[in-house]
């Protein structure tokens, strides 16, 4: 069975030199390993002493004692001393080695992409920014509540503060809480509670329900604990679905309720529950759903939220795609593939098979010829030199074989990214790196055609972290870098 992959990473980003390649070039230039190079700076180590270098290979920070340096942010690092009277002490430093938070025995916690550091010492906490400015003085305890708020404890009382150290609310809490989408549910009694926003305000009061979750607020999943059944209420505690369901699953636009192995769909927009005859469904787009294969019938149908069948339960696969900003539906039935637009009209001419789906284009095949197809303008462009393509690849490009039997890579527009000069190319799940083979030797490149390792190695092996390259009796290891912008489906 052929598998297709939807590549979300646009080929427009294949231009700028990667940090990984710059790190390799700097390592060659300096004759020593450069680590964690990113956004203009990296770390070097020699004889147990670490330092910081810039993009030109200039050492911008060095220390006379053994140490470890770890990256905290773009131009901020944590220095940890490994010998002498300061052994074990840490400091927050900049790229020049200036101590923004002085060497001391402390622990710290940070919030991703927020330049705030909770500093813990002697059983007390304070808050610093990444310039070493103390924002909240030492308190009994400080905890992150979300990307905007903190809980600060003084004595037995917790209060809400923002990241600039301002008290947000005088409201007192018995414990620190974690806000999801700016809200949290607090139990105040038996079947009673409050939904509180990140400013400490009560935005809903519950007087007679056990709340199982507020992820879909203002819609909340309730639970009848003795009967182990679920229902739905709104922010005013109006019952929208009785507590008769065995399970409840929350989605973006819908909540799915299961009872007696059948799923019902609660529409948040319509505030209404619709029953279906299927075990489970997944939302595609525009109020259309695909059914999930069942033991009694492994085929897939497309239905509306009210249970009306739009496409019969006879497809092997159905998926929603977004190509060039528009919604499409991919269908496969007995190895025949179809692509429908949002109005459920076929966008492909007869006889074309879908080989790969990118962010803006499709690669299709007809009569052993490959084409780039634009669903937006319905134009086909032949990829004249492509004889075959490698299946199952999820790079932001197309690994292909040309008429001379050599492999290379094209981007989604059909433009050559890696010239077809290799005897083989091997990719790895979610990794940007690929092994290339030429004249019986192996090397490593990436989707920008940066020569990460020369084609001089006798063999290689891989694990989930990277590649081991072997040349004679020697070996080297190259760590994978992964793209978070790629999603595979099959």
């Amino acid at each position: 069975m052929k598998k297709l992959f939807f590549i979300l990473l646009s080929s427009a980003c294949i231009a700028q030199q990667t940090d990984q390649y710059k790190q390799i070039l700097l390592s060659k230039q300096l004759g020593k390993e450069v680590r964690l190079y990113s956004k203009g700076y990296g770390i070097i180590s020699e004889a147990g002493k670490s330092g910081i270098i810039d993009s030109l290979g200039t050492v911008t920070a060095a220390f006379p004692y053994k140490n470890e340096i770890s990256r905290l942010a773009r131009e901020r690092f944590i220095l940890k001393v490994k010998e002498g009277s300061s052994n074990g002490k840490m400091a927050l430093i900049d790229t020049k080695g200036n101590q923004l938070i002085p060497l001391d025995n402390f622990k710290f916690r940070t919030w991703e992409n927020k330049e705030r550091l909770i500093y813990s010492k002697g059983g007390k906490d304070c808050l610093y920014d990444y310039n070493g400015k103390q924002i909240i003085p030492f308190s009994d305890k400080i905890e992150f509540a979300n990307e905007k708020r903190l809980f600060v404890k003084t004595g037995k009382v917790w209060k809400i503060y923002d990241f600039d150290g301002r008290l947000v609310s005088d409201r007192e809490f018995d414990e620190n809480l974690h806000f999801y989408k700016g809200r949290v549910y607090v139990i105040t009694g038996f079947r009673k509670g409050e939904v509180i926003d990140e400013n400490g305000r009560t935005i809903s009061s519950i007087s007679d329900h056990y709340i199982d979750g507020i992820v879909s607020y203002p819609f909340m999943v309730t639970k009848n604990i003795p009967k182990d059944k679920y229902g739905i209420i709104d922010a005013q505690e109006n019952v929208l679905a009785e507590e008769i369901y065995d399970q409840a699953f929350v989605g973006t636009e819908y909540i799915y309720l299961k009872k007696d192995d059948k799923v019902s769909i609660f529409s948040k927009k319509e505030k209404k529950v619709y029953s279906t005859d299927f075990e489970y469904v997944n939302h595609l787009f525009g109020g259309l759903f695909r059914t999930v294969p069942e033991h009694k019938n492994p085929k897939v149908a497309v239905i509306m939220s009210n249970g009306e069948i739009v496409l019969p339960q006879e497809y092997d696969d159905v998926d929603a795609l977004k190509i060039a900003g528009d919604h499409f539906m991919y269908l496969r039935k007995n190895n025949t593939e179809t692509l429908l637009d949002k109005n459920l009209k076929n966008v492909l001419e007869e006889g074309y098979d879908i080989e790969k789906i990118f962010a803006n284009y499709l690669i299709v095949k007809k009569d052993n010829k490959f084409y780039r197809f634009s669903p937006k303008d319905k134009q086909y462009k032949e990829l004249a030199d492509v004889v075959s393509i490698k299946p199952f690849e999820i790079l932001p490009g197309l690994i292909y074989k040309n008429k001379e039997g050599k492999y290379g890579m094209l981007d989604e527009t059909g433009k050559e990214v890696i010239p077809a000069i290799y005897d083989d190319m091997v990719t790895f799940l979610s990794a940007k790196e690929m092994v290339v083979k030429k004249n019986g030797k192996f090397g490593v490149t990436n989707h920008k055609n940066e020569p990460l390792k020369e084609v001089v190695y006798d063999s290689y092996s891989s694990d989930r972290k990277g590649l081991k390259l072997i040349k004679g009796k020697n070996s080297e290891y190259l760590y994978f870098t992964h793209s978070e912008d790629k999603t595979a489906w099959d």
Side-chain angles (χ1 to χ4, degrees), residues 7 13 52-53 60 62 90 130 132 167 196 246 257 259 273 278 281 285 295 299 351 359 365 367 461 472:
I7 312 300
C13 65
I52 299 172
I53 63 164
T60 61
M90 295 189 296
Y130 282 9
L167 179 66
I196 299 170
D246 303 320
L257 303 164
K259 179 186 177 185
V273 178
F278 301 95
V281 296
F285 57 81
H295 180 71
K299 299 295 184 177
K365 182 181 179 182
D367 299 330
S461 62

Side-chain angles (χ1 to χ4, degrees), residues 9 13 18-20 394-396 409 418 426-435 444-450 452 467 478-486:
L9 182 60
C13 65
T18 65
D19 287 336
Q20 182 191 31
I394 57 173
L395 289 165
M409 190 177 96
I418 299 176
V426 180
T427 63
F428 305 89
L429 184 64
S430 298
K432 297 179 181 179
E433 295 73 25
M434 63 191 84
V435 169
V444 184
T445 186
N446 61 18
H447 63 257
K448 293 188 177 182
N449 196 29
E450 296 173 328
L452 305 180
L467 293 164
L478 179 70
Y479 285 94
F480 286 142
T481 54
H482 297 276
S483 173
E484 297 177 355
D485 300 313
K486 298 181 290 186

Side-chain angles (χ1 to χ4, degrees), residues 222-274:
T222 65
K223 185 176 182 179
N224 183 319
I225 295 179
K227 295 182 179 181
D228 196 25
K229 299 294 182 180
Y230 296 86
I232 300 172
I233 62 171
D234 64 15
Q236 288 74 44
E237 211 171 353
N238 298 309
V239 176
L240 305 177
E242 297 289 343
E243 292 175 335
I244 60 173
Y245 297 95
D246 303 320
Q247 293 175 293
F249 303 95
V250 175
T252 304
E253 299 177 61
Y254 301 90
I255 299 176
Y256 305 93
L257 303 164
K258 290 205 70 173
K259 179 186 177 185
D260 300 330
D261 292 327
K262 301 294 183 184
V263 69
S264 294
I265 303 169
F266 172 76
S267 168
K268 297 179 185 179
K269 182 178 180 180
E270 300 176 52
K271 301 181 182 179
K272 189 174 180 180
V273 178
Y274 295 98

Side-chain angles (χ1 to χ4, degrees), residues 171 183-196 201-225 231-240 243:
R171 185 168 185 169
R183 295 178 290 268
V184 67
Y185 184 72
V186 177
I187 297 173
T188 59
F190 178 69
R191 294 172 63 87
K192 300 180 187 295
E194 297 178 10
V195 180
I196 299 170
R201 296 188 296 253
T202 298
I203 55 177
S204 286
S205 294
I206 306 302
S207 62
D208 193 25
H209 285 91
Y210 176 81
I211 302 300
D212 188 69
I214 64 166
V215 174
S216 282
Y217 188 86
F219 306 104
M220 292 171 277
V221 175
T222 65
K223 185 176 182 179
N224 183 319
I225 295 179
I232 300 172
I233 62 171
D234 64 15
Q236 288 74 44
E237 211 171 353
N238 298 309
V239 176
L240 305 177
E243 292 175 335

